[in-house]
């Protein structure tokens, strides 16, 4: 809708007013910051003076003065931090104070209130809201409502009224670049503008163009758990991070960044998303990966296979003799049946734990085994195994203490009688050592009874696997229990801990009560949720029972064919219906229409989602006789796309091995980096990266390296290829040698440029 000159003038005047107020507050804040700094220097000076006069005789008084000074310094430090943060906020406001406006006439009022919406609130001393934070209750209408009747929820209840105007702005460096009105949703024009740009940086905020369905996820607090399913590029990660910002704003008195944890697929991704919250004026929540948590919790006693090592094995060892054995093992350990086996085993351990022996000192039974059993099965029965054993140990130590003391006295007396040259202290020390030695068998017995070795416990499960799997495994399936048992025991014996064995171990550690408390965590965000197994969800639940969970994933992007959630139904028992809301995002924003249509055909099933109407080049598929030809073409294409102005180019290979080869070829010919490990940092520009590490990331140009039938040669890898192709924003180019993988045949049509 056209905006008149008069209206432009009014808008410019308003912007001036807002900027003037922001400048005033910034100056005021700077002055305050300076004052706090000076006060801090003064406190430090006072402290040094006092230290100069430290004297023994001043006693407690001087200590009290010191403590007071230290407290004052602490307060000054945090006030200084606070003013620094405010300064950053005002500086941001001065560049772009708001991006939207809506005029709202509340029922019963005559005039509309002009509500300007920006990254943060700007409120005058007279309590006039010049700008509303995008997370304020009233701002929800900006994302949710159209012109006409509208309402929003706030602590006082539901406020009804009418929206009479919705306006969008682009303000850059304190100047309005453009503005326009739209009566409906946030206009596709702005989205087109934002999405059409080239990107060379980490993930950005989407606050100016959050869509209605996304807003519903961001602000949803009705349910304890949210499961969000959305296609590639539908904004799941963006939504997750904006939700964190929303929660930090809404519950700022009770929720701090350290009360929220996000589980990301790897450290590259963690790095990639790390700018979003700071751009929104918030500190980052605790970012981790399941692998990191698992590896820290399991300790360093055994060598653990990493996730990438397992992926490389799955993708690159098909010709090995042991391949099928290993795959069966992975499948079995990721199955729902195996969870039930583990559960049976845990209840067996709790009921049948029979290691208790009498505690005997000097041929006398001090604590009979039946008393210890009673502690275990009755007194401490409600506690998890590890805690029970710890309590029993403490109890035994307490009960044997008098006997030990008596023994020490006896020995001490004997020594006194035989050697009078020793002084009392030496005598006691020596006697204690003698008794400790005499009691070695007792301590060994206590240790035997009360310590458990997790690996031994896990081995024990496989030694008696038939016992716990009875009736749970459908024997007509391909699972050969005897084979699994043999394979697992062989590997554990050899000190090999495969990735698929680590989650079961962690699960056992957790249920047996040997994991630290995480009760300070109030919200858990699980991104790329499709790639966790049902057992890993059991572990999440164990760890964060009382926390609110937001689980975001895309079942079509399960990069590991054997280790994934399968279906959200598989975790329905963990997240019961009454506590859980499932939301489906239906629109994809990342790729051009041509790429989105191509990738949805690659899925080989009817597309259930839409994509943004943004047009670009057709996807290109180019065939060569061998990889050397592909490499040469890659060099040319990288230069070509760089010249066209694309800033991020991802050369996506199937495996790390392939990525290394391609990188070695390219590195002397063009400016290129490689991301090869899951704990690498995110690098922008031109990068070579294996498919499974590229998940979650995006590139202006995605160049898929060798989709020949010898590479992507089985149906199980369809979703991996899909995930790789969906990384493209503007250009998708697929190279292959020999024959094209059959997985792509359905995807090729008139809209694809096919060169062979
Ligand atoms: N409302 C929006 N406005 C502007 N850009 C958006 C919006 N929603 C998503 N995007 C953009 O779409 C791209 C994909 O977003 P994001 O990575 O969050 O999606 P995703 O669903 O997590 O993707 P994937 O599952 O493929 O990893 C990003 O560039 C993001 O900025």
């Amino acid at each position: 809708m056209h905006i008149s000159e008069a209206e432009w003038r009014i808008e410019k005047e308003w912007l001036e007013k807002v900027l003037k107020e922001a400048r005033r507050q910034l100056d005021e804040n700077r002055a305050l910051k300076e004052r706090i700094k000076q006060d801090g220097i003064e406190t430090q000076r006072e402290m040094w003076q006092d230290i100069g006069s430290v004297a023994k005789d001043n006693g407690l008084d001087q200590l009290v003065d010191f403590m007071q000074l230290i407290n004052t310094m602490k307060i000054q430090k945090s006030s200084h931090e606070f003013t620094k943060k405010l300064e950053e906020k005002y500086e941001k406001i001065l560049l772009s104070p708001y991006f939207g406006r809506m005029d709202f006439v509340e029922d019963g009022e005559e005039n509309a209130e002009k509500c300007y919406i920006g990254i943060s609130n700007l409120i005058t001393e007279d309590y006039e809201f010049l700008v509303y934070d995008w997370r304020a209750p009233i701002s929800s209408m900006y994302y949710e409502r159209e012109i006409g009747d509208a309402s929003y929820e706030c602590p006082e209840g539901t406020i009804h009224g009418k929206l009479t105007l919705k306006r969008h702005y682009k303000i850059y460096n304190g100047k309005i670049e453009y503005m326009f009105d739209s009566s409906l949703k946030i206009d596709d024009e702005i989205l087109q503008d934002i999405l059409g740009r080239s990107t060379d940086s980490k993930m950005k905020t989407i606050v100016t163009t959050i869509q209605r369905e996304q807003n519903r996820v961001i602000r949803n607090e009705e349910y304890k758990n949210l499961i969000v399913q959305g296609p590639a590029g539908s904004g799941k990660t963006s939504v997750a991070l904006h939700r964190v910002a929303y929660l930090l704003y809404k519950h700022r008195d009770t929720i701090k960044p350290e009360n929220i944890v996000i589980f990301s697929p790897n450290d590259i991704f963690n790095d990639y998303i790390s700018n979003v919250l700071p751009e929104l004026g918030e500190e980052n929540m605790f970012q981790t990966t399941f692998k990191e948590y698992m590896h820290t919790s399991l300790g360093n006693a055994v060598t653990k296979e990493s996730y990438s090592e397992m992926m490389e094995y799955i993708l690159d060892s098909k010709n090995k003799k042991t391949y099928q054995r290993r795959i069966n093992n992975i499948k079995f350990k990721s199955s729902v049946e195996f969870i039930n086996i583990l559960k049976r085993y845990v209840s067996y351990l709790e009921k049948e734990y029979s290691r208790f022996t009498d505690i005997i000192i000097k041929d006398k039974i001090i604590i009979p085994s039946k008393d210890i059993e009673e502690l275990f099965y009755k007194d401490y029965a409600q506690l998890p195994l590890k805690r029970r054993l710890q309590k029993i140990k403490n109890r035994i130590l307490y009960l044997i203490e008098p006997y030990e003391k008596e023994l020490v006295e006896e020995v001490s007396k004997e020594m006194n009688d035989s050697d009078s040259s020793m002084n009392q202290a030496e005598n006691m020390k020596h006697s204690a050592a003698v008794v400790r030695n005499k009691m070695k068998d007792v301590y060994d017995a206590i240790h035997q009874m009360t310590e458990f070795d997790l690996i031994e416990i896990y081995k024990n499960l496989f030694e008696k696997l038939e016992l716990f799997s009875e009736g749970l495994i459908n024997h007509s399936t391909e699972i050969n229990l005897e084979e699994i048992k043999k394979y697992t025991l062989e590997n554990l014996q050899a000190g090999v801990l495969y990735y698929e064995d680590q989650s079961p171990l962690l699960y056992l550690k957790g249920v047996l009560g040997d994991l630290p408390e995480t009760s300070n965590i109030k919200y858990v965000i699980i991104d790329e949720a499709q790639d966790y197994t049902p057992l890993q969800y059991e572990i999440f639940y164990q760890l964060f029972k009382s926390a609110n969970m937001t689980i975001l994933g895309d079942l079509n992007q399960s990069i590991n064919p054997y280790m994934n959630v399968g279906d959200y139904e598989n975790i329905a028992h963990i997240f019961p219906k009454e506590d859980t809301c499932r939301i489906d995002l239906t629109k994809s924003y990342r790729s051009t229409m041509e790429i989105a249509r191509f990738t949805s055909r690659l899925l080989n099933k009817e597309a259930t989602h839409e994509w943004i109407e943004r047009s670009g080049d057709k996807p290109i598929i180019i065939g060569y006789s061998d990889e050397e030809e592909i490499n040469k073409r890659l060099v040319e294409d990288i230069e070509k796309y760089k010249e066209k102005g694309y800033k991020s180019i991802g050369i996506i290979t199937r495996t790390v091995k392939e990525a290394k080869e391609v990188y070695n070829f390219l590195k002397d010919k063009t400016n290129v980096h490689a991301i090869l490990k899951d704990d690498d940092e995110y690098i922008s520009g031109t990068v070579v990266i294996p498919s499974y590490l590229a998940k979650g990331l995006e590139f202006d140009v995605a160049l898929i390296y060798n989709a020949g039938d010898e590479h992507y040669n089985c149906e199980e890898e369809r979703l991996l290829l899909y995930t790789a192709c969906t990384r493209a924003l503007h250009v998708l180019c697929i190279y292959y040698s020999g024959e094209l993988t059959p997985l792509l045949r359905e995807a090729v049509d008139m809209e694809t440029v096919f060169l062979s």
Side-chain angles (χ1 to χ4, degrees), residues 642-660:
K642 276 187 191 166
E643 267 168 35
K644 283 191 173 180
Y646 292 116
K647 293 181 189 142
S648 67
I649 301 176
I651 300 118
I652 308 178
T653 62
R654 196 167 145 273
T655 60
V656 168
K657 191 169 155 235
E658 202 171 58
K660 281 184 186 159

Side-chain angles (χ1 to χ4, degrees), residues 191 194-195 203-206 209-211 214 230-239 269 272 527-528 554 557 585 589-590 695-698 726-727 729:
L191 262 180
I194 291 175
L195 295 166
M203 185 173 235
K204 296 191 192 70
T205 77
I206 58 164
T209 48
I210 292 169
Q211 302 293 291
Q214 296 176 325
S234 54
K236 296 179 294 296
T237 305
S238 310
V239 161
F269 186 83
Y272 171 67
D527 200 5
E528 303 288 343
D554 175 13
Q557 292 185 66
L585 297 177
Y589 300 93
R590 177 181 295 128
K695 71 171 175 175
L697 307 183
E698 62 188 24
T726 51
R727 302 305 94 201
L729 281 141

Side-chain angles (χ1 to χ4, degrees), residues 408-409 412-413 415-416 419-431:
V408 173
E409 271 161 25
S412 160
K413 190 164 175 303
M415 284 210 306
N416 251 346
D419 178 4
S420 53
S421 65
M422 228 185 245
N423 68 29
Q424 188 57 18
E426 279 170 346
N427 176 309
M428 286 313 283
K429 207 170 146 199
H430 198 76
S431 312

Side-chain angles (χ1 to χ4, degrees), residues 24 35 61 92 182 221 434 503 530 551 570 657 720:
R24 190 192 67 73
R35 263 203 319 278
D61 283 353
K92 271 193 198 140
S182 74
E221 290 202 84
V434 171
S503 296
Q530 70 282 355
I551 295 165
N570 289 335
K657 191 169 155 235
L720 185 68

Side-chain angles (χ1 to χ4, degrees), residues 376 380 382-394 450 452 510-515 517:
F376 186 85
Y380 304 143
Q382 298 314 316
L383 299 174
L385 189 81
K386 173 87 182 182
R387 297 265 318 279
R388 266 195 259 182
L389 295 177
Q390 252 163 7
K391 284 205 141 230
I392 287 176
K393 183 177 178 178
N394 294 344
T450 58
F452 64 77
V511 281
L512 299 180
D514 197 16
L515 285 178
E517 288 247 321

